[in-house]
Structure formats: structure tokens, C-alpha cells
Amino acid sequence: MNTIMKQCLSLLILVITLFTPTVLAAESPSNAKVSNTFHLTGQVVFSNLEGGFYGIIGDDGKKYQPTNLPRKLKKDGATIKFDAKIKDNGMSTFQWGTIVELSNVAPITTTISAEERRAIYVLLKRMDAFNTKDLNKLQQIDTVARKLTKEQFGSWVNKYDNFTLQYVDISYSDSISITGSCYYTRELVNGMTLHGNTDLTGMTFTLSQTQNGWKLTESGALTNPINPYNPDVLAELKQKALEKYKTDTLASLWQ
């Protein structure tokens, strides 16, 4: 092999060595950027920090700093619903909350209190964890469930399907806690009783504000137990929901 050919071959090897890792890294699934988006409701707040800006306190209990909050919604105390995408490399001088880019932003007209919205948000997350049979999801918002093993969780939740939140009642709230009761239905899987396969149940709960948002920290039995199979009780509860929420499907609220 002559000198010129050796030099060309060496140059080719050098080029391959320099550029191949870059190409592989770009194509590697582990380096693909994962979209981090979510739907939420919350309240617009004005902060005087560093000359002033508008942020959002989500009903999940977390603070968000939007990069593109519409001018018409820059009102302290405004209640809104929105889709958000976390800006992983977002920079801000305010050091307040998570930086997000908004879409599908709209005002909410509702008579439901902020405390009840927050409770509904957490309880719907709980229903979703039951329906997807996902203990990790449950433990993210329910600190009581962190004591459960997968076997314990599965032995209970696998008996039922279609957990549906029906009604929420708040008895006390302050800046760091929300106490109340809730009612939900569930369907028996692969089975049927004399009363059908759907029953109504309920519980008391306490939510606490933590560094990572609102979490369910206590739950217990209702003071006045309900008849789980009485259709009149469920019908009455659905009527109360219609009057209060204008729907008997809480999962559809603010979508």
C-alpha cells in the first residue's frame, strides 16, 4: 500500500471515529427528549418579587411560572384551566415555581371553592390509580398507601373496576390542610351480587400541603355508613352532584 493510500485510509478512520459517536447519540432512544405535559386548573396570582410577575398556584398545590400567560388572564385571583409543558432548560430571575409553557388556556366560571377543587383533583388522581391498578401512581398522591405492598394493593383493587368519584363534601380547610368526605362507586369484576355489580362507598379524608403539593395523608370510615346497594341513595347523590357541579361525572369537570 503506497503512502498516499495509507494517508487516505488514516483520514477516513479519523473521520469515522470523530463523527460516529455523535450520530449514535442522536439516534439513541435513551437520549430522546420526553414530552412533559399535563392538564391542570389553578389560580393566577401576582407576585411583587423582582418588579412583579404573574404566576399560577395549581390545584395540585404547586407553583408554576408561565412564559406565555395571555394578557386578558393576567388578573390576580383569576381561576383558569390549562395545558402546560415544563420547560426543562427554562431560565428565570424570579426563582418562583416551575417554568411552563401554556396552551389551551381558558377562564373557569365556578362557584366551587378552591379547597374543593384541590380535593377533587387529588381524589380523581386516586380513582385513576385504582382504575389503572398502579400502586406507584397511588403512592405519589396518597401517603397512607406508601405502607402497602404490591400484593396487598392487588388483592383489594383487583376485585373492582370503574372507580368513579361521585361527590365531595369539605368540612374544614385552612392554608395547609383540607378535611372532608367523599363518595364513589366501583364495579365488581367477574362477579354479581343480588344487588348488581356496582356498589357505592365512601370515606373521610385529610389532605395536607407538602413541599410536593397536596397529598392525602389520612383516610377513614364514614361516621354514618351508607347502604352500598341502595339505588335511591346513589340517585340522590347524583342529583346533589348535578345541582352542585352541573354534572354527575366529576372527571369531566374543567376538561
Side-chain angles (χ1 to χ4, degrees):
M1 185 180 295
N2 59 40
T3 303
I4 295 177
M5 289 184 65
K6 288 182 178 179
Q7 290 176 343
C8 290
L9 182 59
S10 298
L11 180 60
L12 179 61
I13 293 172
L14 177 61
V15 170
I16 292 173
T17 303
L18 288 174
F19 289 98
T20 298
T22 303
V23 173
L24 291 175
E27 294 177 349
S28 172
S30 62
N31 288 285
K33 189 172 182 178
V34 178
S35 177
N36 194 354
T37 61
F38 53 92
H39 179 79
L40 192 60
T41 54
Q43 190 171 48
V44 177
V45 294
F46 180 76
S47 172
N48 290 313
L49 185 68
E50 297 290 339
F53 67 94
Y54 286 92
I56 301 171
I57 297 180
D59 285 339
D60 59 355
K62 300 177 183 178
K63 296 177 180 178
Y64 297 97
Q65 186 184 146
T67 61
N68 59 336
L69 182 66
R71 181 182 295 274
K72 65 180 180 180
L73 294 176
K74 289 184 177 181
K75 300 176 182 178
D76 190 45
T79 305
I80 62 173
K81 61 180 180 179
F82 56 92
D83 293 327
K85 181 176 182 180
I86 295 176
K87 304 289 286 183
D88 293 327
N89 298 318
M91 300 293 291
S92 172
T93 59
F94 301 123
Q95 300 297 309
W96 189 94
T98 301
I99 300 175
V100 293
E101 181 179 354
L102 306 181
S103 60
N104 301 318
V105 192
I108 293 176
T109 302
T110 179
T111 57
I112 301 173
S113 68
E115 293 75 21
E116 189 160 354
R117 287 200 321 270
R118 292 162 187 162
I120 290 172
Y121 173 85
V122 173
L123 294 168
L124 284 175
K125 288 287 186 182
R126 195 170 186 263
M127 297 294 105
D128 179 59
F130 290 160
N131 285 324
T132 56
K133 310 295 189 286
D134 192 326
L135 180 58
N136 288 330
K137 274 186 183 179
L138 181 63
Q139 291 174 334
Q140 287 175 15
I141 51 93
D142 186 339
T143 62
V144 179
R146 292 174 186 172
K147 301 175 183 178
L148 291 176
T149 65
K150 289 184 177 180
E151 290 73 21
Q152 290 171 327
F153 176 67
S155 67
W156 175 73
V157 78
N158 288 336
K159 298 177 183 177
Y160 302 98
D161 208 349
N162 293 329
F163 289 80
T164 305
L165 185 64
Q166 299 289 347
Y167 195 83
V168 176
D169 189 25
I170 305 300
S171 57
Y172 174 81
S173 66
D174 55 32
S175 61
I176 59 172
S177 67
I178 302 171
T179 299
S181 56
C182 70
Y183 303 85
Y184 58 94
T185 53
R186 58 193 181 183
E187 295 179 6
L188 190 64
V189 176
N190 298 324
M192 183 75 73
T193 70
L194 293 175
H195 309 280
N197 69 334
T198 300
D199 66 43
L200 175 67
T201 188
M203 70 174 194
T204 60
F205 65 84
T206 296
L207 307 183
S208 300
Q209 174 70 289
T210 72
Q211 290 183 340
N212 295 314
W214 289 101
K215 307 294 181 186
L216 191 147
T217 51
E218 292 182 27
S219 60
L222 294 171
T223 305
N224 298 311
I226 56 176
N227 185 334
Y229 305 112
N230 188 333
D232 293 335
V233 175
L234 180 56
E236 182 181 345
L237 202 61
K238 283 181 174 290
Q239 183 59 39
K240 287 177 64 177
L242 282 171
E243 293 172 359
K244 186 177 186 179
Y245 308 117
K246 311 306 179 188
T247 179
D248 61 357
T249 307
L250 271 65
S252 68
L253 283 172
W254 313 304
Q255 292 301 312

